[in-house]
Amino acid sequence: MGFSLCALPLLTVDARGATAGGKTEANPAERLFNQYCEKCHAGTKPKGDFRLDSLSPDFSDRKNRETWLGVLEQLETGKMPPKDKPRPAPPELQATVKWISERAGAAELARRATEGRVVLRRLNRAEYANTMRDLLGVEVDLADLLPPDTSVSGFDNTAAALHTSSYLIRNYLDAADRVLNEAIASKPQPWLLKKRFDIREEKSVKATGSVYRHVDDGVAIFAAWESANIRVTMWNFRSHVRGKYRFKISGYGFQSEGKPVNFRVTAGTLKEVTEERLIDYYAVPADKPTVIEFTEQLEPENRIRIIAEGLPALPPAVEKIGADKYKGPGLVIQWVDIEGPLMESWPPPSHKAIFGDLKQVRLPAPNDPDRREVVSEQPMVDAERILRDFARRAFRRPVTDADIRPFLARVQSRLEQKYSFEQAMRVGLRGILVSPDFLFLREKVPASNPAKTPAPAPLDDYALASRLSYFLWSSMPDEPLFKLAGAGKLHEPGVLREQVERMLNDPKAKAFTENFTGQWLSLRAIDATSPDRTLYPEYDDILKVAMVKETVLFFDEVLKRDLSLANFVASDFTFVNARLAKHYGLPGVEGTEMRKVTLPPTSHRGGVLTMGSVLKVTANGTTTSPVLRGAWVLERILGTPPPKPPADVEAIEPDIRGATTIRAQLAKHRQIASCASCHTKIDPPGFALESFDVIGGWRDHYRALTNGGQKDSQGRRVRPGPAVDPADALPDGRQFHDIDEYKKLLLEDKDQLARALTEKLLAYSTGAAPTPMDKPEIEAIVRNAGKRNYGFKSLVHEVVQSQVFQSK
């Protein structure tokens, strides 16, 4: 099952090297393979179906070179030849390793000198939306126009996978129109809504014969059941234009015996539940009116919905008693204040950023009597000035007359066709927004310092500014970065360090936390599976949201405080709210607000491996699999991903009846020769995590269904299954008995943890995964980070200072 020499197309007898005297002699790789490998990997039935004579000596062929590098990795780690077969002596092995390394390195260096390390890279979905926001100063939902990008090397900003199609270009044109329509103020200033809504007047709240009771200061809600439409929908409000709206909701827990009551707020058109998006979860105390305040960006025609959470009664039970007589807990909503859209000025900053102080006049149209347009007394002079400044920011570099000429020509053509100045300018601006210089990161090297020998070409300061901003902000550079690039100072180590500090303290750094953790730790897959409601009835949306928040807040804390990256494996703190604390068995936490807590010494939590979010995304919703979780740990935490399993080996189907443990099933699986070598590496981390169920809860026994989920004589649908056994041994023989001991073993090699994370950061920040040629740079980054106690922010600094990051 392992990636080995038996899984490689290997050697031709013509792979020879020339000596200084011109004589040709067999190279060390040929001698080694002929003596130690040919017996197994030749003939009509070679092991693994791979032959030694199929590997080309042409290292300039990228696919062939990558295969050679796979051979190199097997030889360096001692995985091949197998331990039970004759093995080469160290000098013989070292000669082969050197021969492969030198030729692969020279070929890769030559390729990079001409092509660069990273191919031309398109902005991905998130980067495009953020760039439009920062370029034009408006937030517009473009999700319906931008399809998700393919993930390669663990990230969706990998340059080689960001393809472009005619369909995508059509959508870019529509997106440009949508954003320009929002940025340019072609209508009078929208009226400001500022109103208090009385919940008793909402048509979604029935006065009688339901789960609602009208009280003196509001409406009490005694049940929450979405499928029965038991929720408070603000039908009397809808956003009349796109923009930010401020909300204040006043409420309190009713008949809740001193305990707080939770609710969530969603937004959308509310025509379908699937069109709603979560704003957040909130809690109000018992019998004490409390105001919850938040600001939210809304699209036109959006409404909000308030849904009580965690109330024990179902609607039929409340209706049978009658809401007026019901004695159980409920949520009282008194009123909702709404103000918006919130605007700094009119015309808005987005309009002024394009047209400056040019005047607007009223130009009524048959279908738009209030239409206003920008006018100019010197249209071509103003057009050139506007386009030049806009293109400079859009292209993220200085622009030349040649850059501007095609867009200016389009404006002039439209003016000659009697288009108004604003309409002509929209054509030019739209052209810039679908230009390759906007849609792609065209990374250039300094014109005054071209690479004269095969070596990585350094980025010019403008390209470096973009690489840095798309790394930490997933968006375009701001003016401070542009100014430093223009002065030729950004590449200076001290300046770069200052900018990284500044950028990480900027609110836009939230994009790095969300996008990197969302992919590195698989958080984006949190909704990929739904836990079985019979086996795990305690799982709900409140818990899921808290799980994700925990991981994001934890990552941010380790980053901003420059804590050791060892905290990702084991830490003495985490972030929880009442719901998550209950799930983890941590007492003394109330409310929906997330807060930092110190973990007790007896807790098995601490670090990302034992967080509910990670444990959920590495399970299938019904059962856990040591194989899936073990492979995840190897790939995401240790940077040693296992190979794909052989095609002829069937996957293991866990027994949810509880008759057979997953350990017993894997023991049989490991008896298959082609699987054993890999499972000795995959299974240990997977077994260590078996103490956690599919929703991240601690368990001593597996859960099993009773009679297929039917109630047994005691009224149970779920019963305790076999005991969990989390013990195992690493491939080197070191043993552990539980997750706590496994974490300690991982922490014995902090360099490997740093190495794995460095590779992830380089792949994410540059748009291309590191290759073996980058190994010396990666080792230097790890050494320097080790001198600073492996601080995570220090590691980010080292990545930015590296030649890999700063080269094309």
Side-chain angles (χ1 to χ4, degrees), residues 399-420:
V399 292
T400 64
D401 292 342
D403 289 325
I404 297 301
R405 192 173 297 120
F407 308 110
L408 196 59
R410 294 176 189 174
V411 173
Q412 185 171 12
S413 173
R414 294 306 188 275
L415 289 172
E416 291 172 353
Q417 297 174 40
K418 306 303 181 183
Y419 278 54
S420 68

Side-chain angles (χ1 to χ4, degrees), residues 284-445:
V284 287
D287 306 317
K288 181 182 178 182
T290 301
V291 176
I292 303 296
E293 182 175 346
F294 59 89
T295 301
E296 183 71 11
Q297 176 78 16
L298 297 181
E299 291 293 301
E301 303 297 318
N302 276 191
R303 292 182 168 90
I304 67 163
R305 184 169 278 160
I306 302 168
I307 306 169
E309 290 284 344
L311 299 180
L314 295 177
V318 178
E319 292 173 344
K320 183 177 180 180
I321 299 171
D324 289 341
K325 299 178 182 179
Y326 183 70
K327 300 299 183 181
L331 167 70
V332 168
I333 299 296
Q334 297 171 290
W335 45 260
V336 178
D337 280 355
I338 305 177
E339 180 181 1
L342 306 175
M343 294 187 174
E344 301 174 15
S345 59
W346 194 263
S350 59
H351 180 97
K352 294 179 180 178
I354 298 173
F355 293 111
D357 295 326
L358 288 179
K359 295 181 179 180
Q360 279 186 302
V361 298
R362 190 162 178 252
L363 295 174
N367 298 323
D368 191 0
D370 293 325
R371 183 166 65 93
R372 287 165 168 76
E373 287 201 8
V374 176
V375 295
S376 169
E377 295 179 358
Q378 297 178 299
M380 291 309 297
V381 173
D382 287 330
E384 181 174 358
R385 172 181 57 80
I386 292 168
L387 292 176
R388 188 176 294 276
D389 182 64
F390 188 77
R392 175 189 66 84
R393 294 185 296 118
F395 296 169
R396 303 170 287 273
R397 60 171 175 77
V399 292
T400 64
D401 292 342
D403 289 325
I404 297 301
R405 192 173 297 120
F407 308 110
L408 196 59
R410 294 176 189 174
V411 173
Q412 185 171 12
S413 173
R414 294 306 188 275
L415 289 172
E416 291 172 353
Q417 297 174 40
K418 306 303 181 183
Y419 278 54
S420 68
F421 175 74
E422 181 182 308
Q423 293 302 316
M425 284 302 302
R426 283 174 178 263
V427 173
L429 296 170
R430 187 186 193 220
I432 290 173
L433 292 176
V434 294
S435 166
D437 287 281
F438 173 71
L439 297 175
F440 291 83
L441 294 172
R442 291 193 161 183
E443 298 176 325
K444 297 184 177 182
V445 300

Side-chain angles (χ1 to χ4, degrees), residues 55-74:
L55 184 64
S56 165
D58 182 11
F59 280 85
S60 63
D61 181 274
R62 186 167 186 169
K63 185 176 181 180
N64 180 59
R65 183 169 66 252
E66 290 173 353
T67 305
W68 273 107
L69 291 172
V71 174
L72 178 64
E73 190 269 338
Q74 296 293 306

